[in-house]
Amino acid sequence: MLLIGNGNLITRQQENDFIKDGCVAIDGKLIKEVGTTTALKAKYPAAEFIDAKGGLIMPGLVNMHNHIYSTFARGLSINGYHPKNFMDILAGQWFRLDRELDNAATYASGKVAYLDSIKNGVTTMFDHHASYGEIGGSLGELSRAADELGVRTCLCYEVSDRNGEAQMKAAVAENIDFINAAKQRDDDMQHAMMGLHAAFTLSDDTLAYVKAQTPTGTGYHIHIAEGMADVQDSLAKYNKPIVNRLFDWGILGKQTMAGHCIHIGPHEMEILRDTDTMVVTNPESNMGNAVGCPAALKMFNDYHILIGLGTDGYTNDLLESYKFGNLIHKHHLADPNAGWTEIPAMLFNNNPQMANRLFKTKLGVLDAGAAADVIVVDYQAPTPITADNYNSHILFGVNGRMVNDTIINGQVRMRNREVVGVDEAKIWADAQEQAQHLWQRING
């Protein structure tokens, strides 16, 4: 039995969502109960106790869209790379990087990304992978890294026509191999989706092949309308908007997740709503790539689409993305009231709901029977924390690096900022070595 108490407990339950001097009791992989520190310490006197020291006790965070393969782009300078638009960014940086990424680099980048997730309080990560330098076994390398760090993860491989038919089919095969491997597990720690890059790199022949190969019940993870070139391509080649085209191919649905959806119209939003397709918005990446601001608040409020928050490889700090998500819509709409309730709902409520379309154990809430995924944040408030304002405290006072303790699946993965049972120095050293090799390959 493990108790985590003496803190401001944010349960995310519909009732009893905030407990002053709260405590959570963990028994094995699940939460046993929540209550006050005094009550639970009296009830379980022999339990190990983690003292939050007046900080925040929260459910572990869920990142609904990431790109681990982008890890080794940090600090990278590519010869002759001077992008003027999003297509230049894709072709000049990301496609060049993933064409040189081999399994050794994939594994090393996975170790870093999952380690960084633990340090930022992210206990579940959905990743969208590409490594056209070595396709076969690449998801297995990410799976191995996730198991070694103990992070929940959902993986897929980015199918694309951009490198020819043979590599497209190899990417589909890699997805299927991991889908089948994930089905053999019974620990609810890893799941799989069929990854698709974006409509403009997927011909009708490819979509027909993917549909024929994808196991029944498997959802898709795809980028939609991240840039205007994607929109223009669909209209020019197929005489229909992207969402309509994907609907016609049976790609949309409750198990499918659409990243970005920046340049879509009301009719496409209706299709996403009516098919119960999930959407993930990625504010920092959108701003960094200068691709625009999606109508995320309209999707949330007017169309009632299940929309969540991701990092798109820009960072592993979801609380940083929470801040940017709050700002981008205020700036874009010139409305200081925009996003106050919608953005935290996306991150803290919708992300776990979306993840639970694949994971069976209840995520994102501290409640009896839910996953024992808990984080402790070293935050001392300058003003009172209440049930009405704790999201505001998180928004303005907390970032990922303030996470002090991370518990995943009942296992203490980080204690007092030290990741347990992990040689961090070796992970960083291996990453530096693999990154250097990768950079040399990219620049010839």
Side-chain angles (χ1 to χ4, degrees), residues 119-285:
K119 284 181 166 288
N120 283 285
V122 175
T123 55
T124 302
M125 184 210 293
F126 280 63
D127 191 67
H128 195 277
H129 179 64
S131 58
Y132 279 95
E134 190 169 7
I135 300 169
S138 59
L139 294 184
E141 292 302 296
L142 291 180
S143 170
R144 179 162 70 101
D147 276 337
E148 290 172 357
L149 273 298
V151 178
R152 294 185 197 273
T153 199
C154 180
L155 303 174
C156 69
Y157 192 99
E158 179 180 289
V159 174
S160 173
D161 290 332
R162 64 181 181 265
N163 296 310
E165 183 180 2
Q167 287 208 320
M168 177 275 289
K169 289 185 175 180
V172 174
E174 179 63 11
N175 275 303
I176 293 170
D177 285 348
F178 185 70
I179 290 167
N180 290 331
K183 285 180 178 178
Q184 299 304 310
R185 300 177 64 126
D186 60 4
D187 58 0
D188 203 33
M189 289 297 289
Q190 294 192 11
H191 290 284
M193 302 178 83
M194 174 62 74
L196 299 170
H197 173 240
F200 74 92
T201 70
L202 298 163
S203 67
D204 277 354
D205 287 344
T206 292
L207 290 178
Y209 180 78
V210 169
K211 281 291 294 181
Q213 297 293 316
T214 302
T216 302
T218 303
Y220 300 87
H221 192 163
I222 182 173
H223 304 99
I224 291 181
E226 185 174 2
M228 278 302 298
D230 198 11
V231 177
Q232 293 159 354
D233 178 88
S234 187
L235 294 174
K237 291 180 181 176
Y238 308 102
N239 197 32
K240 63 182 72 171
I242 298 167
V243 174
N244 294 64
R245 181 176 174 231
L246 296 176
F247 173 79
D248 290 345
W249 277 107
I251 299 298
L252 305 180
K254 186 175 182 178
Q255 298 299 113
T256 288
M257 187 156 57
H260 301 290
C261 294
I262 298 172
H263 304 288
I264 64 172
H267 176 65
E268 291 173 282
M269 293 180 196
E270 290 176 356
I271 294 174
L272 293 172
R273 176 198 64 200
D274 293 346
T275 55
D276 200 12
T277 300
M278 300 176 283
V279 172
V280 187
T281 184
N282 306 273
E284 287 180 275
S285 174

Side-chain angles (χ1 to χ4, degrees), residues 8-80:
N8 292 290
L9 183 65
I10 300 170
T11 70
R12 299 291 171 186
Q13 298 178 28
Q14 286 190 344
E15 305 290 338
N16 198 34
D17 63 334
F18 180 78
I19 304 174
K20 201 78 174 173
D21 191 23
C23 185
V24 56
I26 293 173
D27 187 11
K29 300 176 181 179
L30 303 176
I31 292 170
K32 179 77 171 177
E33 62 179 305
V34 298
T36 65
T37 303
T38 301
L40 293 189
K41 287 189 80 170
K43 189 172 182 178
Y44 305 106
E48 179 185 354
F49 184 72
I50 291 178
D51 189 350
K53 300 177 181 177
L56 304 178
I57 305 170
M58 300 165 45
L61 302 171
V62 179
N63 187 346
M64 287 309 299
H65 183 71
N66 203 3
H67 291 294
I68 287 174
Y69 71 82
S70 70
T71 299
F72 291 158
R74 190 182 303 175
L76 169 63
S77 178
I78 300 177
N79 296 337

Side-chain angles (χ1 to χ4, degrees), residues 66-76 94 97 101 105-106 108-114 116 125 127 142 313-314 316 428 431 435 438-439:
N66 203 3
H67 291 294
I68 287 174
Y69 71 82
S70 70
T71 299
F72 291 158
R74 190 182 303 175
L76 169 63
W94 299 118
L97 186 150
L101 201 63
T106 292
S109 65
K111 289 295 286 281
V112 168
Y114 289 119
D116 205 32
M125 184 210 293
D127 191 67
L142 291 180
Y314 204 90
N316 292 307
W428 296 118
L438 176 65
W439 291 5

Side-chain angles (χ1 to χ4, degrees), residues 243-365:
V243 174
N244 294 64
R245 181 176 174 231
L246 296 176
F247 173 79
D248 290 345
W249 277 107
I251 299 298
L252 305 180
K254 186 175 182 178
Q255 298 299 113
T256 288
M257 187 156 57
H260 301 290
C261 294
I262 298 172
H263 304 288
I264 64 172
H267 176 65
E268 291 173 282
M269 293 180 196
E270 290 176 356
I271 294 174
L272 293 172
R273 176 198 64 200
D274 293 346
T275 55
D276 200 12
T277 300
M278 300 176 283
V279 172
V280 187
T281 184
N282 306 273
E284 287 180 275
S285 174
N286 296 163
M287 294 172 75
N289 288 327
V291 289
C293 178
L297 305 188
K298 183 177 287 292
M299 285 186 254
F300 183 99
N301 289 315
D302 298 347
Y303 292 89
H304 306 293
I305 291 169
L306 185 59
I307 180 169
L309 196 67
T311 62
D312 201 37
Y314 204 90
T315 180
N316 292 307
D317 184 352
L318 265 173
L319 297 178
E320 180 182 290
S321 291
Y322 174 27
K323 298 178 191 343
F324 276 82
N326 178 269
L327 292 172
I328 188 173
H329 298 289
K330 287 178 170 59
H331 178 76
H332 178 67
L333 299 171
D335 180 0
N337 294 305
W340 281 119
T341 57
E342 296 92 343
I343 301 301
M346 290 178 196
L347 174 56
F348 300 120
N349 302 332
N350 290 5
N351 278 16
Q353 285 184 46
M354 294 163 71
N356 272 134
R357 291 191 174 183
L358 285 92
F359 291 90
K360 300 177 182 64
T361 316
K362 191 173 184 180
L363 303 174
V365 63

